[in-house]
Amino acid sequence: MRSSICLLLLCSGSLIRAQEPLPVEQIDARLRQAMSLARETNKTFLVEELLSTRDAVTRAIERKDAALIERLLRDMEKEVGLDSGGKTMAGLPVARMTYQELKQLGELDKKLTEAMRTGKSAEIQAVVEETKKLLGDRVGVPDIRRKGENPKIIPIKPADLADLFGRILDAEQAKLKHFQTGKPLPGTMARDYANIAEGCAAFRLLMEKHQPKRVETIDKIITGCCESMVALQTEEGFFKFPDLRGKHIRLGEMIEQMVEQSIANLEEGWVIVPFPDGGSQFDAGECGVALLRAGAILKNPAWTKAGLKAAEWAKDYPPVANFNYNAFSVRLLAEAYRQTKEAKYLEAAWARWKFGLAPGQSERGRWIDPHNARTVYHFIILRAANDLLEITPPGDDRTTLKKAVQRMVTSILDEADKLGAPITSYTVQELGRVESLADVSDSRLHDRLAQAATVAHLKCIQNGVKAATPFPELAAPANIWK
């Protein structure tokens, strides 16, 4: 989601002349960038602190105090992790955009969504080229960077990983009991149930072998999460979303706008219509996959039916300009094909990739716009590509897709050379699959994968045993050190 932020400064001609060494447009762009990153943290205190600093900048402009303006801007940038000047984070470039450029990008997003819905490649490509022209040298450059990790690699044996997961189940027993009830908790997103269910399903085979007494508990958690997802699924196939107003800055604002449009969009604390920006593909994809996998493992046809219902909704839902949302549908449709072997799901997965994802990949390997070029969204798209690779037979489509994946991985590894192994909710899972799927002949790949796997399990034992890594990501090292 790209949230528009109201104009931070009113730019009169007299102010521009007074600040010629640092134009108001540039000040505004730096303020907007810092405020956007602060909002991403969902930390109200940080947003309020930066709002106060923004007001101080406005007063400094009125006094024509260029030195104070620069100091205040740098203080804001430091608070959100930007290097001084706001052009880099951790020494690597980030994309910064002016108010007018953001407006233009928003209009291009609308055009791109409309072009995607026509299914005409030429129209899609024309809008992509317009976007590239607007962005210039910022094509494929993210608007945020995060430091990675460079730990000493510590292999963890599958038996030790199973033991760690068992200890996490004990340590988090009180929290996990809530997920066993089968009743959705207010304020809990459907995707949270999906993440836990999918992670427990990933661990189940490992626990059967090394910790068999834990399997009953794992099955109870999977069952509770799946029943909660089924309860949250709408008749159409997508999933209700909790009312997060007052709890989440960005999502709360979007929900408020939906309620202003119609109070009927909200029912008993849940949003019951799809998000207008295509974001409901997120929960549909995560929940659909979790239900399908859990249904297959625990042989529960009701969950399988619910998963396929989500896949049918995703199949018919049109692609949107926010590329990573489309990736969730690719993943779900690929899983539906994997389990049913029905051609309609494979065809739909490939159509979503060809019209909703592939056109946006830049020469850098990242997706063209600053939002989707972020490493976390890059991994979400890589996950969808890996799912598609796993179900696609040899041929031109598979060859083209492998090349796209290779460019994606090169981009990840190039960034890791500067920042360390990226730590996301998907790093170990997806780099691990790349090793076996994409023929990436890059000597850096395995070491970065092993470093990320090391961090995944170390985070769970530092300062006491806890669930500090998402369960699916924590399970993934079992495939590296077998």
Side-chain angles (χ1 to χ4, degrees), residues 116-146:
M116 285 176 172
R117 291 177 180 183
T118 68
K120 296 179 180 179
S121 297
E123 292 185 21
I124 297 170
Q125 197 57 46
V127 183
V128 167
E129 292 305 317
E130 282 189 76
T131 305
K132 287 182 177 180
K133 185 177 179 180
L134 171 66
L135 292 170
D137 61 3
R138 294 165 296 184
V139 169
V141 176
D143 56 7
I144 188 170
R145 305 270 190 179
R146 294 292 184 217

Side-chain angles (χ1 to χ4, degrees), residues 368-390:
I368 54 174
D369 64 283
H371 180 75
N372 283 284
R374 294 181 183 184
T375 298
V376 63
Y377 300 129
H378 194 66
F379 268 101
I380 286 172
I381 297 172
L382 175 61
R383 181 176 64 164
N386 281 338
D387 285 319
L388 206 48
L389 273 177
E390 285 181 345

Side-chain angles (χ1 to χ4, degrees), residues 304-321:
T304 300
K305 182 179 178 181
L308 291 176
K309 185 177 181 180
E312 286 294 323
W313 178 83
K315 177 173 67 68
D316 296 332
Y317 191 86
V320 296

Side-chain angles (χ1 to χ4, degrees), residues 419-450:
L419 302 182
I423 306 303
T424 74
S425 298
Y426 319 99
T427 305
V428 184
Q429 299 166 79
E430 302 317 317
L431 292 186
R433 288 208 286 172
V434 163
E435 274 204 315
S436 61
L437 285 172
D439 299 334
V440 175
S441 57
D442 192 316
S443 60
R444 301 173 293 175
L445 175 59
H446 186 78
D447 282 349
R448 292 305 184 190
L449 168 60

Side-chain angles (χ1 to χ4, degrees), residues 44-327:
T44 303
F45 74 89
L46 180 59
V47 173
E48 291 176 349
E49 181 181 325
L50 264 63
L51 284 171
S52 178
T53 305
R54 182 197 68 181
D55 293 341
V57 171
T58 303
R59 293 191 294 271
I61 290 176
E62 292 170 352
R63 295 198 303 270
K64 303 178 183 180
D65 191 339
L68 178 58
I69 293 168
E70 183 63 28
R71 180 172 65 77
L72 290 169
L73 288 172
R74 292 192 176 194
D75 286 346
M76 292 181 74
E77 288 160 353
K78 183 178 179 181
E79 285 293 325
V80 295
L82 288 161
D83 299 332
S84 292
K87 294 182 178 179
T88 61
M89 292 183 82
L92 290 179
V94 291
R96 184 171 72 200
M97 304 188 71
T98 67
Y99 174 69
Q100 288 301 323
E101 287 174 329
L102 286 170
K103 282 184 65 177
Q104 289 176 268
L105 186 60
E107 291 302 314
L108 286 170
D109 277 356
K110 293 176 184 177
K111 286 180 65 175
L112 182 58
T113 295
E114 289 303 314
M116 285 176 172
R117 291 177 180 183
T118 68
K120 296 179 180 179
S121 297
E123 292 185 21
I124 297 170
Q125 197 57 46
V127 183
V128 167
E129 292 305 317
E130 282 189 76
T131 305
K132 287 182 177 180
K133 185 177 179 180
L134 171 66
L135 292 170
D137 61 3
R138 294 165 296 184
V139 169
V141 176
D143 56 7
I144 188 170
R145 305 270 190 179
R146 294 292 184 217
K147 289 282 286 184
E149 300 281 352
N150 283 301
K152 178 183 177 182
I153 295 170
I154 304 174
I156 181 169
K157 297 177 181 178
D160 294 332
L161 188 59
D163 177 70
L164 172 58
F165 189 61
R167 288 188 287 145
I168 289 172
L169 293 178
D170 289 338
E172 304 287 2
Q173 188 173 11
K175 292 180 183 178
L176 290 171
K177 273 190 175 180
H178 292 298
F179 289 92
Q180 296 179 40
T181 64
K183 298 178 181 179
L185 295 168
T188 301
M189 294 181 281
R191 66 190 68 167
D192 295 332
Y193 297 107
N195 185 269
I196 292 174
E198 191 174 341
C200 285
F203 263 110
R204 194 176 186 278
L205 187 61
L206 192 67
M207 302 304 278
E208 280 183 337
K209 182 176 180 180
H210 300 288
Q211 299 268 327
K213 293 181 180 180
R214 302 276 191 181
V215 173
E216 183 180 355
T217 298
I218 289 172
D219 287 352
K220 287 180 180 178
I221 296 171
I222 293 173
T223 298
C225 287
C226 288
E227 292 301 322
S228 292
M229 286 186 279
V230 170
L232 289 173
Q233 190 172 35
T234 65
E235 193 62 37
E236 294 88 345
F238 65 94
F239 293 80
K240 298 176 186 177
F241 196 87
D243 182 3
L244 296 182
R245 289 177 296 174
K247 300 175 183 178
H248 193 285
I249 296 171
R250 179 170 52 82
L251 294 174
E253 289 176 358
M254 178 170 283
I255 293 168
E256 182 62 38
Q257 291 172 6
M258 295 173 72
V259 173
E260 287 176 359
Q261 291 171 3
S262 174
I263 191 65
N265 290 338
L266 195 69
E267 185 178 277
E268 298 180 350
W270 297 91
V271 177
I272 60 171
V273 296
F275 279 101
D277 66 346
S280 296
Q281 291 182 90
F282 191 144
D283 288 286
E286 296 295 271
C287 294
V289 169
L291 285 163
L292 286 171
R293 291 183 177 176
I297 292 171
L298 295 187
K299 296 179 173 52
N300 188 309
W303 301 345
T304 300
K305 182 179 178 181
L308 291 176
K309 185 177 181 180
E312 286 294 323
W313 178 83
K315 177 173 67 68
D316 296 332
Y317 191 86
V320 296
N322 194 354
F323 297 104
N324 79 83
Y325 284 159
N326 301 326

